Amino acid sequence: MIYFDNSATTKIEPTVLETYLKVSEQFYGNPSSLHLLGDTPAKLLAQSRAQIANEIGVQPNEIFFTSGGTEGDNWAIKGTAFEKMRYGKHIITSTVEHPAVYESMKQLESFGWDVTFLPADDKGLISPKDLKEAIREDTVLVSIIAVNNEVGTVQPIREIGEVLRDYPSIHFHVDAVQALGMVDLDLGPASRVDMAVFSGHKFKAPRGIGFIYIKDGRQIAPLLTGGGQERDMRSGTENLPAIASMSRAVRLTLDNEQEKRTHLRNMQTKIRTYLETKEKVKIFTPEMHAPHILCFGIEGIRGEVTVHAFEEYNIFISTTSACSSRAMDVDSSTLSAMGVPKHIAETANRVSLAAENTEDEVDQFIKAFDEIYEKFQVING
Ligand SMILES: Cc1ncc(COP(=O)(O)O)c(C=O)c1O
């Protein structure tokens, strides 16, 4: 079995699963309980927070645990909107965001907020100049994805941050769900990024856990109110087994980060170089962007047909974005924002790699592709 759908979700790492099981079995007390069984969980919670903060170069009090990327994006966006509605109701985002951002913006629009969706070029890139021009007196938030989940475009987060230095009151949120370990993330006191969202299951931690970085001093309203966990910012009993195992997964992901990126890039380049030899293949991923994502289409063949053809070889790829591919229509996709016509966007497939994938798997993928491509040529003439 060859799993090339790692941007949809990853297989949990065995030692991460061990941590999950151990914490579930041995430290089941509630971290908020005053008795002895709450003590170790409370310490473990603090340790996990400190470890994650340390790994990404921020302070422990700037990390809040969530249920994953969707919650993090909803919180950063709506939490800022609610907190700052007295000052303004204008938000800037892009046309190449994940639905967790896009739909949050749409909902805020329906409640009276005004949202500017910045256009993207044919590589899926937005322009810091366009962003500057879109800023208004009443702009309270800028939300931009770091690494696009459909095609792997890496946005110029640092340059956008430079533009925003002239507007210190605007919150800058970055959806970094596809970014951990894959690109350099510049967080911490010197960075202009105020919030960044991460999701455990994208880096070999369990499902249903994630974290958000919120820069010290930046205020956002909580969305989940209740028992006051996470310093009153995100109520709900902490999912300690998932949190502790995610902190391990963050460390493992960032261990030998550069070597892993080189390995991913080599595999991606091998597939790209091969696909470039095929007359009827169009590659949508721009060169030298994220090392783990490659989006392409075979002329005249719908993406789902190709997915199922690979399935017969026990190779698992996706159409563009697995979390939305069953539900979302092509018109609101990244490819559409890049100006790809609908009938071509519908051919799109995404290969998304993880560090444990091998060159041998890439060779097997190429061999299967050859056969599938030939078969399609025979059928389509
Ligand atoms: C860029 C991006 N943002 C947000 C999400 C949502 O994350 P989650 O699945 O943890 O809710 C995803 C999931 O694919 C994503 O790729």
Side-chain angles (χ1 to χ4, degrees):
M1 197 265 279
I2 298 178
Y3 186 66
F4 278 177
D5 197 12
N6 291 283
S7 288
T9 195
T10 54
K11 183 177 172 194
I12 191 166
E13 210 274 338
T15 61
V16 170
L17 183 58
E18 253 171 49
T19 303
Y20 185 92
L21 292 173
K22 186 171 166 198
V23 174
S24 301
E25 278 168 8
Q26 297 180 14
F27 307 114
Y28 51 84
N30 189 322
S32 301
S33 294
L34 295 180
H35 54 67
L36 218 56
L37 291 189
D39 282 357
T40 314
K43 281 191 192 120
L44 208 49
L45 184 63
Q47 267 169 19
S48 304
R49 199 185 309 279
Q51 173 157 331
I52 291 175
N54 182 46
E55 289 289 341
I56 65 167
V58 303
Q59 296 304 311
N61 66 345
E62 297 175 313
I63 298 291
F64 298 86
F65 296 113
T66 65
S67 64
T70 300
E71 183 189 326
D73 283 331
N74 271 263
W75 184 17
I77 294 163
K78 294 175 199 170
T80 298
F82 298 163
E83 181 71 30
K84 293 172 70 105
M85 59 195 288
R86 283 165 291 156
Y87 307 106
K89 291 176 108 181
H90 178 237
I91 299 176
I92 301 172
T93 187
S94 81
T95 45
V96 289
E97 300 294 316
H98 185 273
V101 168
Y102 179 78
E103 295 297 337
S104 298
M105 298 297 177
K106 285 287 168 195
Q107 192 185 24
L108 285 177
E109 271 187 335
S110 77
F111 287 123
W113 271 264
D114 194 4
V115 183
T116 299
F117 293 89
L118 297 173
D121 67 10
D122 59 355
K123 293 188 165 112
L125 275 171
I126 66 152
S127 128
K129 187 168 160 282
D130 288 350
L131 182 114
K132 190 175 171 65
E133 282 166 12
I135 294 172
R136 310 191 319 210
E137 281 273 287
D138 59 343
T139 306
V140 289
L141 171 68
V142 168
S143 176
I144 302 292
I145 193 167
V147 174
N148 179 271
N149 50 297
E150 293 181 45
V151 299
T153 304
V154 182
Q155 297 298 343
I157 296 298
R158 200 162 296 163
E159 287 89 326
I160 293 167
E162 287 313 312
V163 169
L164 290 176
R165 288 206 191 273
D166 293 339
Y167 308 89
S169 66
I170 297 176
H171 281 192
F172 182 22
H173 165 54
V174 172
D175 175 346
V177 168
Q178 294 289 344
L180 193 76
M182 302 302 180
V183 296
D184 290 337
L185 274 174
D186 180 23
L187 302 176
S191 161
R192 181 60 182 82
V193 174
D194 296 312
M195 295 174 280
V197 158
F198 300 86
S199 170
H201 74 102
K202 306 292 184 183
F203 53 86
K204 299 177 193 158
R207 317 285 155 91
I209 193 70
F211 64 95
I212 179 171
Y213 156 73
I214 305 175
K215 186 180 262 156
D216 194 26
R218 283 306 202 187
Q219 303 295 329
I220 71 170
L223 293 190
L224 300 186
T225 50
Q229 288 88 349
E230 299 294 282
R231 288 183 288 124
D232 267 346
M233 289 290 281
R234 198 274 187 185
S235 288
T237 301
E238 301 88 346
N239 185 351
L240 190 62
I243 290 170
S245 54
M246 175 172 66
S247 81
R248 185 178 194 119
V250 171
R251 184 167 59 70
L252 291 173
T253 300
L254 298 180
D255 263 0
N256 302 319
E257 193 183 353
Q258 294 303 337
E259 282 95 322
K260 286 183 203 153
R261 276 189 218 171
T262 306
H263 172 54
L264 290 165
R265 178 73 77 202
N266 288 342
M267 291 191 288
Q268 184 200 46
T269 304
K270 191 165 190 178
I271 300 175
R272 180 190 281 275
T273 309
Y274 162 76
L275 291 178
E276 279 168 356
T277 67
K278 300 287 171 201
E279 199 194 322
K280 296 208 165 161
V281 172
K282 171 128 188 64
I283 298 174
F284 303 112
T285 296
E287 283 195 57
M288 298 314 284
H289 278 256
H292 62 305
I293 294 176
L294 191 65
C295 182
F296 62 89
I298 307 175
E299 194 184 304
I301 312 288
R302 290 179 67 88
E304 58 268 30
V305 175
T306 309
V307 168
H308 292 310
F310 273 101
E311 216 171 10
E312 307 243 313
Y313 290 82
N314 235 0
I315 297 174
F316 297 92
I317 64 171
S318 79
T319 49
T320 45
S321 162
C323 38
S324 57
S325 55
R326 284 178 203 273
M328 204 162 126
D329 79 75
V330 170
D331 290 335
S332 52
S333 70
T334 297
L335 290 173
S336 159
M338 287 162 65
V340 176
K342 186 173 177 172
H343 70 283
I344 298 178
E346 281 171 349
T347 69
N349 286 111
R350 180 185 68 185
V351 162
S352 50
L353 305 162
E356 75 266 18
N357 286 128
T358 63
E359 293 268 344
D360 182 50
E361 289 178 327
V362 167
D363 292 338
Q364 290 181 54
F365 170 83
I366 288 176
K367 194 160 168 282
F369 193 100
D370 253 340
E371 292 181 21
I372 290 167
Y373 188 76
E374 275 311 307
K375 204 154 65 185
F376 287 158
Q377 297 311 297
V378 172
I379 296 167
N380 279 17

